[in-house]
Amino acid sequence: MADRSNARFGAMNRRSFLGTVAAGVGVAALPKMSFAADKPTLVTSIRSLSNPYHAVWKSGAEAFAKSVGIDHVTLVSEGNSEKGIADIKAMLAKTGGNMVLNSDPNDTPDARPIVEACAKAGAYVVTQWNKPKDLHPQDFNPYYVCHIEFDGVASGKQIAEILFKSIGGSGGIIALGGQISNTAAIERKKGLEEALAANPDIKLLDFQVANWKSSEAYDLTANLLTRFGDQVKGVWAANDDMGTGALEALRAEGLAGKVPVVGVDGIKAAVDAVRNGEFAATVTSDPFWQGGMGLSIALQALQKKFDPATQPPDHREFYGKAVLIDKDNVQAYYKNNIESQPVVDWNDIWGRVTGPIRT
């Protein structure tokens, strides 16, 4: 480990890192604008624009809105479920229900009041990632069009196995999880647990909840490095934002590139870290696609291009395709998805379905 007696050096690094986090914070207040009576409004509801993953989601939503020439509004909950639900209800009232919603609910229980409010107002809605297991699109035909997830168990297990291999198949790791009641966080942790069970020479030193946030991950990782010292051979993070927070804590100790990190989301900072040999891998669900395609599916249902009620089960609750990014494909991924805007066929609404969600 690097010398921790240099407290001033560590403080400067932390201030510098947190300053970069704060610089990205953006809050979208409920917009004060008029809406065309003849056109629906496209509405995106996400957690926070300070999260790089959701910032890319918003970019995809805006790209789709531009392609169809329809007004688009982004609502952010800032991690506050009550605010997220209230803002959606306010937008339903403002548009008279003439809108489509693509929502990543802040927490699993939030999906029910969101869906119920949309169905009552006659607005078409797609949810992603979080919903209760007993909430189903077919119970709110035709307005609850579909629910999209990405197999968190598979992703959590895949990045764990890559991490274990990168440290030689034995040694201690620390792990950082998302919100306790969040579907993706629960599933990714289960994937980690499955990988640990199959690799008895890997020791989980500690699992801490960092709530998807880089700043919390930074502090937790710094504390865990102090606690476990040279026993820490790798870092598993349930998303890239936490992974990059952990990476900066490692960097402050001179360990970036020596202690590998893995994460999920494929944000630019993580892809850069894979290119630099500081991340072993990340998995992306393609938030650009999620941001635009959720709106496209809901809009096409509203436009009667298909009837949700007649669709098969794997078009109502399905897993989308996730992509592993590691040293073997990172340069091609960077060129096609970061250096340039991804090319998406917004009419290919079922093209990335990989199967129905496990019940």
Side-chain angles (χ1 to χ4, degrees):
M1 295 294 171
D3 181 7
R4 292 189 181 84
S5 64
N6 191 344
R8 181 172 179 272
F9 175 79
M12 288 177 65
N13 275 272
R14 186 176 187 277
R15 284 196 298 269
S16 175
F17 168 65
L18 293 179
T20 63
V21 173
V25 174
V27 178
L30 194 62
K32 296 179 179 178
M33 57 188 294
S34 59
F35 302 105
D38 59 330
K39 287 186 177 182
T41 301
L42 305 178
V43 181
T44 292
S45 176
I46 48 182
R47 185 170 297 110
S48 174
L49 296 179
S50 64
N51 183 313
Y53 166 80
H54 279 131
V56 175
W57 180 306
K58 179 175 180 284
S59 295
E62 290 173 339
F64 172 71
K66 183 178 180 180
S67 74
V68 293
I70 298 178
D71 290 336
H72 172 253
V73 173
T74 299
L75 307 176
V76 294
S77 70
E78 296 299 344
N80 183 322
S81 293
E82 290 183 2
K83 179 182 185 302
I85 295 166
D87 283 354
I88 290 168
K89 289 181 176 179
M91 186 57 65
L92 287 166
K94 195 175 187 70
T95 61
N98 187 23
M99 59 174 260
V100 299
L101 173 66
N102 183 26
S103 174
D104 179 5
N106 180 61
D107 219 345
T108 299
D110 301 1
R112 185 176 299 279
I114 289 170
V115 168
E116 289 176 347
C118 287
K120 183 177 180 180
Y124 288 76
V125 57
V126 169
T127 57
Q128 300 199 43
W129 286 122
N130 298 305
K131 78 168 184 66
K133 290 187 180 298
D134 62 350
L135 177 66
H136 303 290
Q138 61 267 28
D139 295 333
F140 294 89
N141 284 328
Y143 301 111
Y144 190 6
V145 185
C146 69
H147 176 74
I148 305 170
E149 291 183 24
F150 296 80
D151 192 339
V153 177
S155 294
K157 185 176 182 179
Q158 184 178 35
I159 61 171
E161 291 172 340
I162 291 171
L163 179 65
F164 300 167
K165 183 177 180 181
S166 72
I167 64 173
S170 65
I173 66 162
I174 58 175
L176 301 167
Q179 290 171 266
I180 293 174
S181 59
N182 186 280
T183 300
I186 293 168
E187 290 192 350
R188 292 172 194 174
K189 183 182 181 184
K190 183 178 179 182
L192 168 64
E193 292 168 344
E194 289 185 3
L196 286 166
N199 291 271
D201 291 332
I202 299 292
K203 181 180 180 181
L204 177 62
L205 300 171
D206 201 359
F207 183 99
Q208 293 286 333
V209 173
N211 293 306
W212 303 125
K213 296 178 181 178
S214 54
S215 55
E216 292 189 27
Y218 181 99
D219 290 336
L220 287 168
T221 302
N223 292 336
L224 292 171
L225 290 173
T226 301
R227 179 180 169 192
F228 292 109
D230 292 337
Q231 294 180 66
V232 179
K233 303 300 182 185
V235 180
W236 180 97
N239 81 338
D240 286 342
D241 207 29
M242 295 186 297
T244 56
L247 177 59
E248 292 310 311
L250 292 169
R251 196 182 311 284
E253 298 295 339
L255 295 171
K258 299 176 183 178
V259 174
V261 181
V262 293
V264 176
D265 282 342
I267 65 173
K268 182 180 183 299
V271 177
D272 285 337
V274 174
R275 296 174 80 200
N276 297 334
E278 296 171 335
F279 262 49
T282 180
V283 173
T284 181
S285 56
D286 192 352
F288 188 88
W289 178 89
Q290 288 180 269
M293 193 57 73
L295 291 173
S296 179
I297 292 171
L299 181 63
Q300 292 194 44
L302 180 150
Q303 295 172 334
K304 310 302 181 186
K305 293 184 178 179
F306 71 94
D307 180 2
T310 65
Q311 295 299 304
D314 64 353
H315 287 180
R316 303 304 301 276
E317 298 181 52
F318 64 86
Y319 288 122
K321 182 180 180 181
V323 176
L324 175 70
I325 305 168
D326 62 10
K327 60 183 176 59
D328 295 330
N329 67 345
V330 66
Q331 298 300 343
Y333 182 87
Y334 192 90
K335 179 180 179 181
N336 295 328
N337 294 275
I338 293 178
E339 286 186 339
S340 58
Q341 181 170 289
V343 177
V344 178
D345 178 0
W346 300 118
N347 290 314
D348 185 17
I349 58 177
W350 311 122
R352 297 195 190 182
V353 175
T354 63
I357 293 172
R358 289 186 299 271
T359 56

